[in-house]
Amino acid sequence: MGVYSGSIRLRTEGFSDIHDITSDLTRILEESDLRQGILVVALRGSTGGITTIEFEPGVLKDFSELLDRLAPQSKPYHHDSAWGDGNGYAHLRSSLIGTSFTVPFQEGKLLLGTWQQVVFIDFDNRPRERTLNVQLVGEG
């Protein structure tokens, strides 16, 4: 049994900026020399999210519109009153989506569906530099 750690660095625009990180995860898996196990990718922060989606323009637009209905940017939030940073909606979106994702791998390949990509979404209200931590547990 082995453990391998890596990271992904992203420059984001905020405002639900979506990044396909599937190829980054695949690269880290290949670097690990592990053949089967689980991979976890996590954000240390509370204004981003990690999930899967079909990374195509129509679904991405639908996803963005869904988030706007669930936690609109234009609504005042209690968090904004307390801190004055105007990103209360980003914290709620992050809580809904979650800040980590786990996927199994076998024969050195992520077990994802044909149209399934892993994405990071930056919900904050400003550009950011983000680091995603990746950890794999498995055997070679």
Side-chain angles (χ1 to χ4, degrees):
M1 190 65 70
V3 176
Y4 185 86
S5 297
S7 64
I8 301 168
R9 294 187 184 273
L10 299 170
R11 286 199 134 150
T12 65
E13 296 301 316
F15 300 100
S16 298
D17 184 21
I18 302 175
H19 294 258
D20 181 354
I21 60 169
T22 310
S23 62
D24 298 299
L25 298 176
T26 299
R27 176 186 47 78
I28 292 169
L29 173 56
E30 289 169 357
E31 291 170 359
S32 77
D33 289 327
L34 297 173
R35 302 290 298 152
Q36 63 182 16
I38 59 169
L39 178 150
V40 178
V41 56
L43 168 70
R44 287 179 28 178
S46 60
T47 58
I50 304 170
T51 189
T52 64
I53 199 165
E54 181 178 344
F55 197 78
E56 69 84 20
V59 173
L60 297 178
K61 186 167 178 57
D62 291 336
F63 186 66
S64 180
E65 290 173 358
L66 171 67
L67 293 171
D68 286 340
R69 286 192 302 275
L70 293 174
Q73 295 177 32
S74 59
K75 179 187 177 303
Y77 292 92
H78 299 287
H79 172 78
D80 301 338
S81 299
W83 294 97
D85 52 6
N87 68 352
Y89 72 94
H91 289 281
L92 296 178
R93 291 176 181 195
S94 178
S95 292
L96 286 170
I97 301 303
T99 59
S100 67
F101 182 78
T102 303
V103 61
F105 59 91
Q106 271 185 333
E107 298 177 13
K109 305 280 184 207
L110 298 174
L111 296 179
L112 296 169
T114 302
W115 307 112
Q116 184 180 25
Q117 287 83 40
V118 182
V119 296
F120 170 73
I121 310 109
D122 190 339
F123 300 121
D124 216 340
N125 59 359
R126 61 187 174 92
R128 304 276 305 260
E129 289 194 24
R130 300 287 197 159
T131 300
L132 306 178
N133 297 300
V134 181
Q135 191 159 70
L136 298 87
V137 178
E139 49 193 33

